[in-house]
Amino acid sequence: MTDRLEALWHARYRNALPDRVDRAVQAGGDLLESLLGHRSVRSYLPDALPPGTLEKAVAAAQSAATSSNLQSWSVVAVEDAARRSRLAALCGNQAHIAVAPLFMVWLADLSRVERIATRAGLDHGALDHTETFLVATIDAALAAQNAVAALEAAGLGTVYIGGLRNHPAEIAKELHLPQRCMGMFGLCVGWPDPGHPASIKPRLPQDVVLHREHYDPRQEEALIAAYDACADTFQKEQGLPSRAWSLTVAERLSGAERLGGRETMRESLAARGFPLA
Ligand SMILES: Cc1cc2nc3c(=O)[nH]c(=O)nc-3n(C[C@H](O)[C@H](O)[C@H](O)COP(=O)(O)O)c2cc1C
């Protein structure tokens, strides 16, 4: 197991597994290996998923912690090919949505708790607040990532689809979403196409994201320069254009137009019943 963990750690950081990690991961090592082996999959076989895959993924999702046990998320499982094609178009023509047999739409869902509060005859003014919206979006993200972990451990591939937020009103219409319920991101699920394997994408060195006792970005610049070189090597290995990661990040944030239409998100949220008071 340690050999495989070492290989996965190296793929993720392009660095050796630190000595102190070696022994600490013996228990639960399979889970860590599966997590370290994550890669987004964008090429799928059209083959059906094993029976029970969806139910097991949702059980994993529902096992995630949830703020105040509000369970303020829902998911729409879309298997119908015609609907997946329409969603693929709405999400920026991402073909993998139409090919993968399952597309899961993860929802920040305050509509259910509103119905519960209404039936109880109680005021529900807190639903209008930004904090409650954050609770629902964090819940949805934690649930989805638990599902991803379970699906990947079963050998399936996934890719999140933020393009789901390109057209919130149209998505709501397609999926019959009520007010106070919004699709935050999608998730393709399917068998990875062995003809187009995805690779583990290196991440920032741990010392950039892990701060001990207090926040300290002093070493960041040099470490990110080293990561730029590492990310560039990955690009070349993948046959992709040479690119410094930090430049991609900076360009991505260079103007509201870089948000690809999602710069109107505040208005979209208000229209979906999230006034963000
Ligand atoms: C919330 C979220 C939205 C994403 N949206 C898309 C998307 O619309 N299309 C896509 O191809 N990848 C999408 N991704 C995948 C990221 O591009 C990917 O996770 C990142 O490049 C790191 O690569 P890796 O997942 O292979 O390690 C998304 C990821 C997240 C977490």
Side-chain angles (χ1 to χ4, degrees), residues 231-265:
D232 188 42
T233 302
F234 177 79
Q235 289 281 113
K236 287 183 194 136
E237 288 167 1
Q238 301 300 305
L240 296 168
S242 182
R243 194 97 186 106
W245 172 82
S246 56
L247 184 62
T248 307
V249 169
E251 283 181 359
R252 174 96 197 184
L253 303 173
S254 61
E257 67 279 6
R258 306 289 303 191
L259 292 172
R262 291 186 229 164
E263 62 275 8
T264 56
M265 189 54 64

PDB file of all heavy atoms in Angstrom, residues 231-265:
ATOM      1  N   ALA A 231       3.337  22.891 -12.736  1.00  0.00           N
ATOM      2  CA  ALA A 231       2.078  22.875 -13.490  1.00  0.00           C
ATOM      3  C   ALA A 231       2.359  22.954 -14.991  1.00  0.00           C
ATOM      4  O   ALA A 231       1.645  22.349 -15.802  1.00  0.00           O
ATOM      5  CB  ALA A 231       1.182  24.029 -13.042  1.00  0.00           C
ATOM      6  N   ASP A 232       3.401  23.687 -15.347  1.00  0.00           N
ATOM      7  CA  ASP A 232       3.782  23.797 -16.755  1.00  0.00           C
ATOM      8  C   ASP A 232       4.260  22.444 -17.288  1.00  0.00           C
ATOM      9  O   ASP A 232       3.927  22.038 -18.405  1.00  0.00           O
ATOM     10  CB  ASP A 232       4.871  24.870 -16.900  1.00  0.00           C
ATOM     11  CG  ASP A 232       5.160  25.170 -18.364  1.00  0.00           C
ATOM     12  OD1 ASP A 232       4.193  25.266 -19.137  1.00  0.00           O
ATOM     13  OD2 ASP A 232       6.347  25.255 -18.731  1.00  0.00           O
ATOM     14  N   THR A 233       5.051  21.738 -16.481  1.00  0.00           N
ATOM     15  CA  THR A 233       5.494  20.389 -16.865  1.00  0.00           C
ATOM     16  C   THR A 233       4.278  19.496 -17.099  1.00  0.00           C
ATOM     17  O   THR A 233       4.213  18.740 -18.081  1.00  0.00           O
ATOM     18  CB  THR A 233       6.381  19.778 -15.751  1.00  0.00           C
ATOM     19  OG1 THR A 233       7.489  20.648 -15.552  1.00  0.00           O
ATOM     20  CG2 THR A 233       6.853  18.381 -16.101  1.00  0.00           C
ATOM     21  N   PHE A 234       3.283  19.596 -16.200  1.00  0.00           N
ATOM     22  CA  PHE A 234       2.059  18.800 -16.349  1.00  0.00           C
ATOM     23  C   PHE A 234       1.373  19.138 -17.677  1.00  0.00           C
ATOM     24  O   PHE A 234       0.942  18.249 -18.409  1.00  0.00           O
ATOM     25  CB  PHE A 234       1.118  19.073 -15.170  1.00  0.00           C
ATOM     26  CG  PHE A 234      -0.202  18.349 -15.266  1.00  0.00           C
ATOM     27  CD1 PHE A 234      -0.304  17.009 -14.941  1.00  0.00           C
ATOM     28  CD2 PHE A 234      -1.345  19.024 -15.687  1.00  0.00           C
ATOM     29  CE1 PHE A 234      -1.519  16.341 -15.037  1.00  0.00           C
ATOM     30  CE2 PHE A 234      -2.566  18.364 -15.784  1.00  0.00           C
ATOM     31  CZ  PHE A 234      -2.655  17.020 -15.453  1.00  0.00           C
ATOM     32  N   GLN A 235       1.286  20.440 -17.974  1.00  0.00           N
ATOM     33  CA  GLN A 235       0.657  20.857 -19.240  1.00  0.00           C
ATOM     34  C   GLN A 235       1.342  20.178 -20.419  1.00  0.00           C
ATOM     35  O   GLN A 235       0.695  19.643 -21.312  1.00  0.00           O
ATOM     36  CB  GLN A 235       0.778  22.386 -19.404  1.00  0.00           C
ATOM     37  CG  GLN A 235      -0.089  23.210 -18.478  1.00  0.00           C
ATOM     38  CD  GLN A 235      -1.522  23.272 -18.956  1.00  0.00           C
ATOM     39  OE1 GLN A 235      -2.420  22.730 -18.313  1.00  0.00           O
ATOM     40  NE2 GLN A 235      -1.759  23.922 -20.082  1.00  0.00           N
ATOM     41  N   LYS A 236       2.695  20.226 -20.389  1.00  0.00           N
ATOM     42  CA  LYS A 236       3.451  19.643 -21.513  1.00  0.00           C
ATOM     43  C   LYS A 236       3.220  18.134 -21.584  1.00  0.00           C
ATOM     44  O   LYS A 236       3.037  17.582 -22.676  1.00  0.00           O
ATOM     45  CB  LYS A 236       4.940  19.951 -21.354  1.00  0.00           C
ATOM     46  CG  LYS A 236       5.258  21.416 -21.639  1.00  0.00           C
ATOM     47  CD  LYS A 236       6.755  21.669 -21.552  1.00  0.00           C
ATOM     48  CE  LYS A 236       7.042  23.162 -21.482  1.00  0.00           C
ATOM     49  NZ  LYS A 236       8.050  23.503 -20.484  1.00  0.00           N
ATOM     50  N   GLU A 237       3.209  17.480 -20.422  1.00  0.00           N
ATOM     51  CA  GLU A 237       2.957  16.031 -20.406  1.00  0.00           C
ATOM     52  C   GLU A 237       1.606  15.701 -21.042  1.00  0.00           C
ATOM     53  O   GLU A 237       1.415  14.642 -21.625  1.00  0.00           O
ATOM     54  CB  GLU A 237       2.949  15.509 -18.961  1.00  0.00           C
ATOM     55  CG  GLU A 237       4.322  15.465 -18.316  1.00  0.00           C
ATOM     56  CD  GLU A 237       4.238  15.254 -16.795  1.00  0.00           C
ATOM     57  OE1 GLU A 237       3.119  15.125 -16.251  1.00  0.00           O
ATOM     58  OE2 GLU A 237       5.291  15.250 -16.165  1.00  0.00           O
ATOM     59  N   GLN A 238       0.653  16.626 -20.870  1.00  0.00           N
ATOM     60  CA  GLN A 238      -0.702  16.397 -21.390  1.00  0.00           C
ATOM     61  C   GLN A 238      -0.846  16.847 -22.848  1.00  0.00           C
ATOM     62  O   GLN A 238      -1.951  16.788 -23.400  1.00  0.00           O
ATOM     63  CB  GLN A 238      -1.731  17.169 -20.539  1.00  0.00           C
ATOM     64  CG  GLN A 238      -1.737  16.796 -19.060  1.00  0.00           C
ATOM     65  CD  GLN A 238      -2.044  15.326 -18.844  1.00  0.00           C
ATOM     66  OE1 GLN A 238      -3.057  14.826 -19.315  1.00  0.00           O
ATOM     67  NE2 GLN A 238      -1.143  14.617 -18.168  1.00  0.00           N
ATOM     68  N   GLY A 239       0.233  17.378 -23.417  1.00  0.00           N
ATOM     69  CA  GLY A 239       0.165  17.886 -24.787  1.00  0.00           C
ATOM     70  C   GLY A 239      -0.603  19.188 -24.874  1.00  0.00           C
ATOM     71  O   GLY A 239      -1.151  19.535 -25.924  1.00  0.00           O
ATOM     72  N   LEU A 240      -0.650  19.917 -23.768  1.00  0.00           N
ATOM     73  CA  LEU A 240      -1.379  21.191 -23.721  1.00  0.00           C
ATOM     74  C   LEU A 240      -0.387  22.351 -23.811  1.00  0.00           C
ATOM     75  O   LEU A 240       0.806  22.174 -23.528  1.00  0.00           O
ATOM     76  CB  LEU A 240      -2.176  21.292 -22.410  1.00  0.00           C
ATOM     77  CG  LEU A 240      -3.281  20.238 -22.249  1.00  0.00           C
ATOM     78  CD1 LEU A 240      -3.816  20.215 -20.821  1.00  0.00           C
ATOM     79  CD2 LEU A 240      -4.397  20.498 -23.246  1.00  0.00           C
ATOM     80  N   PRO A 241      -0.855  23.555 -24.185  1.00  0.00           N
ATOM     81  CA  PRO A 241       0.073  24.688 -24.320  1.00  0.00           C
ATOM     82  C   PRO A 241       0.772  25.016 -23.001  1.00  0.00           C
ATOM     83  O   PRO A 241       0.185  24.874 -21.929  1.00  0.00           O
ATOM     84  CB  PRO A 241      -0.836  25.852 -24.737  1.00  0.00           C
ATOM     85  CG  PRO A 241      -2.147  25.268 -25.091  1.00  0.00           C
ATOM     86  CD  PRO A 241      -2.237  23.908 -24.491  1.00  0.00           C
ATOM     87  N   SER A 242       2.018  25.470 -23.113  1.00  0.00           N
ATOM     88  CA  SER A 242       2.794  25.888 -21.940  1.00  0.00           C
ATOM     89  C   SER A 242       2.065  27.030 -21.233  1.00  0.00           C
ATOM     90  O   SER A 242       1.564  27.953 -21.868  1.00  0.00           O
ATOM     91  CB  SER A 242       4.177  26.334 -22.426  1.00  0.00           C
ATOM     92  OG  SER A 242       4.961  26.697 -21.332  1.00  0.00           O
ATOM     93  N   ARG A 243       1.990  26.947 -19.906  1.00  0.00           N
ATOM     94  CA  ARG A 243       1.151  27.918 -19.193  1.00  0.00           C
ATOM     95  C   ARG A 243       1.576  27.983 -17.736  1.00  0.00           C
ATOM     96  O   ARG A 243       1.681  26.946 -17.064  1.00  0.00           O
ATOM     97  CB  ARG A 243      -0.301  27.411 -19.233  1.00  0.00           C
ATOM     98  CG  ARG A 243      -1.322  28.428 -18.857  1.00  0.00           C
ATOM     99  CD  ARG A 243      -1.896  29.064 -20.112  1.00  0.00           C
ATOM    100  NE  ARG A 243      -2.789  30.153 -19.798  1.00  0.00           N
ATOM    101  CZ  ARG A 243      -2.462  31.428 -19.965  1.00  0.00           C
ATOM    102  NH1 ARG A 243      -1.298  31.759 -20.410  1.00  0.00           N
ATOM    103  NH2 ARG A 243      -3.333  32.364 -19.678  1.00  0.00           N
ATOM    104  N   ALA A 244       1.812  29.195 -17.220  1.00  0.00           N
ATOM    105  CA  ALA A 244       2.069  29.344 -15.779  1.00  0.00           C
ATOM    106  C   ALA A 244       0.709  29.363 -15.068  1.00  0.00           C
ATOM    107  O   ALA A 244      -0.175  30.145 -15.434  1.00  0.00           O
ATOM    108  CB  ALA A 244       2.832  30.625 -15.499  1.00  0.00           C
ATOM    109  N   TRP A 245       0.571  28.549 -14.054  1.00  0.00           N
ATOM    110  CA  TRP A 245      -0.710  28.474 -13.332  1.00  0.00           C
ATOM    111  C   TRP A 245      -1.104  29.833 -12.792  1.00  0.00           C
ATOM    112  O   TRP A 245      -2.265  30.251 -12.895  1.00  0.00           O
ATOM    113  CB  TRP A 245      -0.582  27.453 -12.189  1.00  0.00           C
ATOM    114  CG  TRP A 245      -1.760  27.416 -11.266  1.00  0.00           C
ATOM    115  CD1 TRP A 245      -2.931  26.753 -11.464  1.00  0.00           C
ATOM    116  CD2 TRP A 245      -1.872  28.067  -9.989  1.00  0.00           C
ATOM    117  NE1 TRP A 245      -3.778  26.954 -10.405  1.00  0.00           N
ATOM    118  CE2 TRP A 245      -3.150  27.749  -9.483  1.00  0.00           C
ATOM    119  CE3 TRP A 245      -1.031  28.870  -9.232  1.00  0.00           C
ATOM    120  CZ2 TRP A 245      -3.600  28.228  -8.240  1.00  0.00           C
ATOM    121  CZ3 TRP A 245      -1.473  29.348  -8.004  1.00  0.00           C
ATOM    122  CH2 TRP A 245      -2.740  29.025  -7.521  1.00  0.00           C
ATOM    123  N   SER A 246      -0.139  30.559 -12.212  1.00  0.00           N
ATOM    124  CA  SER A 246      -0.490  31.837 -11.572  1.00  0.00           C
ATOM    125  C   SER A 246      -0.990  32.846 -12.605  1.00  0.00           C
ATOM    126  O   SER A 246      -1.843  33.678 -12.299  1.00  0.00           O
ATOM    127  CB  SER A 246       0.682  32.394 -10.762  1.00  0.00           C
ATOM    128  OG  SER A 246       1.811  32.526 -11.559  1.00  0.00           O
ATOM    129  N   LEU A 247      -0.484  32.751 -13.837  1.00  0.00           N
ATOM    130  CA  LEU A 247      -0.964  33.659 -14.879  1.00  0.00           C
ATOM    131  C   LEU A 247      -2.414  33.321 -15.237  1.00  0.00           C
ATOM    132  O   LEU A 247      -3.259  34.206 -15.411  1.00  0.00           O
ATOM    133  CB  LEU A 247      -0.061  33.545 -16.114  1.00  0.00           C
ATOM    134  CG  LEU A 247      -0.381  34.511 -17.244  1.00  0.00           C
ATOM    135  CD1 LEU A 247      -0.202  35.962 -16.786  1.00  0.00           C
ATOM    136  CD2 LEU A 247       0.503  34.228 -18.455  1.00  0.00           C
ATOM    137  N   THR A 248      -2.702  32.029 -15.312  1.00  0.00           N
ATOM    138  CA  THR A 248      -4.088  31.602 -15.581  1.00  0.00           C
ATOM    139  C   THR A 248      -5.013  32.135 -14.500  1.00  0.00           C
ATOM    140  O   THR A 248      -6.108  32.643 -14.790  1.00  0.00           O
ATOM    141  CB  THR A 248      -4.176  30.061 -15.628  1.00  0.00           C
ATOM    142  OG1 THR A 248      -3.200  29.582 -16.545  1.00  0.00           O
ATOM    143  CG2 THR A 248      -5.552  29.591 -16.052  1.00  0.00           C
ATOM    144  N   VAL A 249      -4.574  32.030 -13.242  1.00  0.00           N
ATOM    145  CA  VAL A 249      -5.391  32.515 -12.121  1.00  0.00           C
ATOM    146  C   VAL A 249      -5.618  34.022 -12.252  1.00  0.00           C
ATOM    147  O   VAL A 249      -6.753  34.503 -12.150  1.00  0.00           O
ATOM    148  CB  VAL A 249      -4.688  32.199 -10.777  1.00  0.00           C
ATOM    149  CG1 VAL A 249      -5.365  32.916  -9.618  1.00  0.00           C
ATOM    150  CG2 VAL A 249      -4.675  30.692 -10.536  1.00  0.00           C
ATOM    151  N   ALA A 250      -4.534  34.735 -12.488  1.00  0.00           N
ATOM    152  CA  ALA A 250      -4.643  36.202 -12.556  1.00  0.00           C
ATOM    153  C   ALA A 250      -5.544  36.627 -13.707  1.00  0.00           C
ATOM    154  O   ALA A 250      -6.399  37.504 -13.561  1.00  0.00           O
ATOM    155  CB  ALA A 250      -3.248  36.814 -12.693  1.00  0.00           C
ATOM    156  N   GLU A 251      -5.379  35.971 -14.854  1.00  0.00           N
ATOM    157  CA  GLU A 251      -6.212  36.338 -16.007  1.00  0.00           C
ATOM    158  C   GLU A 251      -7.672  36.024 -15.760  1.00  0.00           C
ATOM    159  O   GLU A 251      -8.562  36.770 -16.147  1.00  0.00           O
ATOM    160  CB  GLU A 251      -5.718  35.583 -17.261  1.00  0.00           C
ATOM    161  CG  GLU A 251      -4.458  36.215 -17.831  1.00  0.00           C
ATOM    162  CD  GLU A 251      -3.968  35.510 -19.084  1.00  0.00           C
ATOM    163  OE1 GLU A 251      -4.590  34.514 -19.505  1.00  0.00           O
ATOM    164  OE2 GLU A 251      -2.958  35.973 -19.617  1.00  0.00           O
ATOM    165  N   ARG A 252      -7.896  34.914 -15.101  1.00  0.00           N
ATOM    166  CA  ARG A 252      -9.273  34.486 -14.810  1.00  0.00           C
ATOM    167  C   ARG A 252     -10.006  35.540 -13.981  1.00  0.00           C
ATOM    168  O   ARG A 252     -11.222  35.670 -14.044  1.00  0.00           O
ATOM    169  CB  ARG A 252      -9.191  33.157 -14.065  1.00  0.00           C
ATOM    170  CG  ARG A 252     -10.465  32.603 -13.554  1.00  0.00           C
ATOM    171  CD  ARG A 252     -11.048  31.604 -14.509  1.00  0.00           C
ATOM    172  NE  ARG A 252     -12.448  31.395 -14.195  1.00  0.00           N
ATOM    173  CZ  ARG A 252     -13.223  30.533 -14.792  1.00  0.00           C
ATOM    174  NH1 ARG A 252     -12.766  29.815 -15.766  1.00  0.00           N
ATOM    175  NH2 ARG A 252     -14.482  30.401 -14.447  1.00  0.00           N
ATOM    176  N   LEU A 253      -9.257  36.298 -13.170  1.00  0.00           N
ATOM    177  CA  LEU A 253      -9.877  37.270 -12.270  1.00  0.00           C
ATOM    178  C   LEU A 253      -9.757  38.695 -12.790  1.00  0.00           C
ATOM    179  O   LEU A 253     -10.076  39.651 -12.079  1.00  0.00           O
ATOM    180  CB  LEU A 253      -9.194  37.175 -10.889  1.00  0.00           C
ATOM    181  CG  LEU A 253      -9.241  35.775 -10.252  1.00  0.00           C
ATOM    182  CD1 LEU A 253      -8.405  35.740  -8.990  1.00  0.00           C
ATOM    183  CD2 LEU A 253     -10.682  35.384  -9.951  1.00  0.00           C
ATOM    184  N   SER A 254      -9.312  38.842 -14.047  1.00  0.00           N
ATOM    185  CA  SER A 254      -8.923  40.178 -14.501  1.00  0.00           C
ATOM    186  C   SER A 254     -10.095  41.110 -14.792  1.00  0.00           C
ATOM    187  O   SER A 254      -9.923  42.298 -14.923  1.00  0.00           O
ATOM    188  CB  SER A 254      -8.017  40.067 -15.726  1.00  0.00           C
ATOM    189  OG  SER A 254      -8.715  39.426 -16.765  1.00  0.00           O
ATOM    190  N   GLY A 255     -11.284  40.615 -14.907  1.00  0.00           N
ATOM    191  CA  GLY A 255     -12.416  41.499 -15.174  1.00  0.00           C
ATOM    192  C   GLY A 255     -13.706  40.733 -15.031  1.00  0.00           C
ATOM    193  O   GLY A 255     -13.721  39.497 -15.165  1.00  0.00           O
ATOM    194  N   ALA A 256     -14.796  41.459 -14.763  1.00  0.00           N
ATOM    195  CA  ALA A 256     -16.082  40.794 -14.548  1.00  0.00           C
ATOM    196  C   ALA A 256     -16.492  39.981 -15.771  1.00  0.00           C
ATOM    197  O   ALA A 256     -17.156  38.949 -15.650  1.00  0.00           O
ATOM    198  CB  ALA A 256     -17.161  41.824 -14.213  1.00  0.00           C
ATOM    199  N   GLU A 257     -16.049  40.439 -16.977  1.00  0.00           N
ATOM    200  CA  GLU A 257     -16.437  39.711 -18.190  1.00  0.00           C
ATOM    201  C   GLU A 257     -15.841  38.303 -18.206  1.00  0.00           C
ATOM    202  O   GLU A 257     -16.318  37.428 -18.917  1.00  0.00           O
ATOM    203  CB  GLU A 257     -16.047  40.502 -19.451  1.00  0.00           C
ATOM    204  CG  GLU A 257     -14.563  40.658 -19.721  1.00  0.00           C
ATOM    205  CD  GLU A 257     -13.907  41.780 -18.917  1.00  0.00           C
ATOM    206  OE1 GLU A 257     -14.572  42.372 -18.052  1.00  0.00           O
ATOM    207  OE2 GLU A 257     -12.706  42.039 -19.149  1.00  0.00           O
ATOM    208  N   ARG A 258     -14.794  38.082 -17.384  1.00  0.00           N
ATOM    209  CA  ARG A 258     -14.198  36.749 -17.310  1.00  0.00           C
ATOM    210  C   ARG A 258     -15.136  35.758 -16.607  1.00  0.00           C
ATOM    211  O   ARG A 258     -14.885  34.563 -16.574  1.00  0.00           O
ATOM    212  CB  ARG A 258     -12.862  36.783 -16.551  1.00  0.00           C
ATOM    213  CG  ARG A 258     -11.862  37.779 -17.080  1.00  0.00           C
ATOM    214  CD  ARG A 258     -11.292  37.375 -18.397  1.00  0.00           C
ATOM    215  NE  ARG A 258     -10.656  36.069 -18.354  1.00  0.00           N
ATOM    216  CZ  ARG A 258      -9.901  35.573 -19.308  1.00  0.00           C
ATOM    217  NH1 ARG A 258      -9.683  36.272 -20.382  1.00  0.00           N
ATOM    218  NH2 ARG A 258      -9.357  34.382 -19.200  1.00  0.00           N
ATOM    219  N   LEU A 259     -16.197  36.270 -15.994  1.00  0.00           N
ATOM    220  CA  LEU A 259     -17.135  35.380 -15.297  1.00  0.00           C
ATOM    221  C   LEU A 259     -18.147  34.746 -16.265  1.00  0.00           C
ATOM    222  O   LEU A 259     -19.036  34.003 -15.840  1.00  0.00           O
ATOM    223  CB  LEU A 259     -17.865  36.146 -14.192  1.00  0.00           C
ATOM    224  CG  LEU A 259     -16.953  36.576 -13.026  1.00  0.00           C
ATOM    225  CD1 LEU A 259     -17.687  37.497 -12.065  1.00  0.00           C
ATOM    226  CD2 LEU A 259     -16.412  35.374 -12.278  1.00  0.00           C
ATOM    227  N   GLY A 260     -17.984  35.063 -17.543  1.00  0.00           N
ATOM    228  CA  GLY A 260     -18.759  34.360 -18.577  1.00  0.00           C
ATOM    229  C   GLY A 260     -20.262  34.490 -18.422  1.00  0.00           C
ATOM    230  O   GLY A 260     -20.989  33.534 -18.682  1.00  0.00           O
ATOM    231  N   GLY A 261     -20.728  35.649 -18.005  1.00  0.00           N
ATOM    232  CA  GLY A 261     -22.171  35.859 -17.865  1.00  0.00           C
ATOM    233  C   GLY A 261     -22.649  35.705 -16.431  1.00  0.00           C
ATOM    234  O   GLY A 261     -23.735  36.138 -16.065  1.00  0.00           O
ATOM    235  N   ARG A 262     -21.803  35.087 -15.591  1.00  0.00           N
ATOM    236  CA  ARG A 262     -22.240  34.851 -14.209  1.00  0.00           C
ATOM    237  C   ARG A 262     -22.023  36.066 -13.314  1.00  0.00           C
ATOM    238  O   ARG A 262     -22.255  36.000 -12.108  1.00  0.00           O
ATOM    239  CB  ARG A 262     -21.498  33.643 -13.620  1.00  0.00           C
ATOM    240  CG  ARG A 262     -21.910  32.344 -14.271  1.00  0.00           C
ATOM    241  CD  ARG A 262     -21.268  31.170 -13.574  1.00  0.00           C
ATOM    242  NE  ARG A 262     -20.652  30.261 -14.529  1.00  0.00           N
ATOM    243  CZ  ARG A 262     -19.767  29.322 -14.221  1.00  0.00           C
ATOM    244  NH1 ARG A 262     -19.385  29.167 -12.984  1.00  0.00           N
ATOM    245  NH2 ARG A 262     -19.251  28.543 -15.156  1.00  0.00           N
ATOM    246  N   GLU A 263     -21.589  37.186 -13.914  1.00  0.00           N
ATOM    247  CA  GLU A 263     -21.402  38.401 -13.107  1.00  0.00           C
ATOM    248  C   GLU A 263     -22.744  38.958 -12.619  1.00  0.00           C
ATOM    249  O   GLU A 263     -22.787  39.814 -11.747  1.00  0.00           O
ATOM    250  CB  GLU A 263     -20.604  39.469 -13.881  1.00  0.00           C
ATOM    251  CG  GLU A 263     -21.251  39.986 -15.156  1.00  0.00           C
ATOM    252  CD  GLU A 263     -20.946  39.088 -16.360  1.00  0.00           C
ATOM    253  OE1 GLU A 263     -20.374  38.007 -16.173  1.00  0.00           O
ATOM    254  OE2 GLU A 263     -21.321  39.484 -17.484  1.00  0.00           O
ATOM    255  N   THR A 264     -23.838  38.435 -13.163  1.00  0.00           N
ATOM    256  CA  THR A 264     -25.167  38.881 -12.722  1.00  0.00           C
ATOM    257  C   THR A 264     -25.745  37.922 -11.661  1.00  0.00           C
ATOM    258  O   THR A 264     -26.957  37.885 -11.442  1.00  0.00           O
ATOM    259  CB  THR A 264     -26.139  38.944 -13.922  1.00  0.00           C
ATOM    260  OG1 THR A 264     -26.147  37.654 -14.538  1.00  0.00           O
ATOM    261  CG2 THR A 264     -25.707  39.989 -14.941  1.00  0.00           C
ATOM    262  N   MET A 265     -24.858  37.168 -11.008  1.00  0.00           N
ATOM    263  CA  MET A 265     -25.315  36.123 -10.079  1.00  0.00           C
ATOM    264  C   MET A 265     -26.205  36.666  -8.965  1.00  0.00           C
ATOM    265  O   MET A 265     -27.164  36.018  -8.536  1.00  0.00           O
ATOM    266  CB  MET A 265     -24.092  35.414  -9.481  1.00  0.00           C
ATOM    267  CG  MET A 265     -24.412  34.175  -8.684  1.00  0.00           C
ATOM    268  SD  MET A 265     -25.404  32.970  -9.600  1.00  0.00           S
ATOM    269  CE  MET A 265     -24.296  32.504 -10.921  1.00  0.00           C
TER     270      MET A 265
END
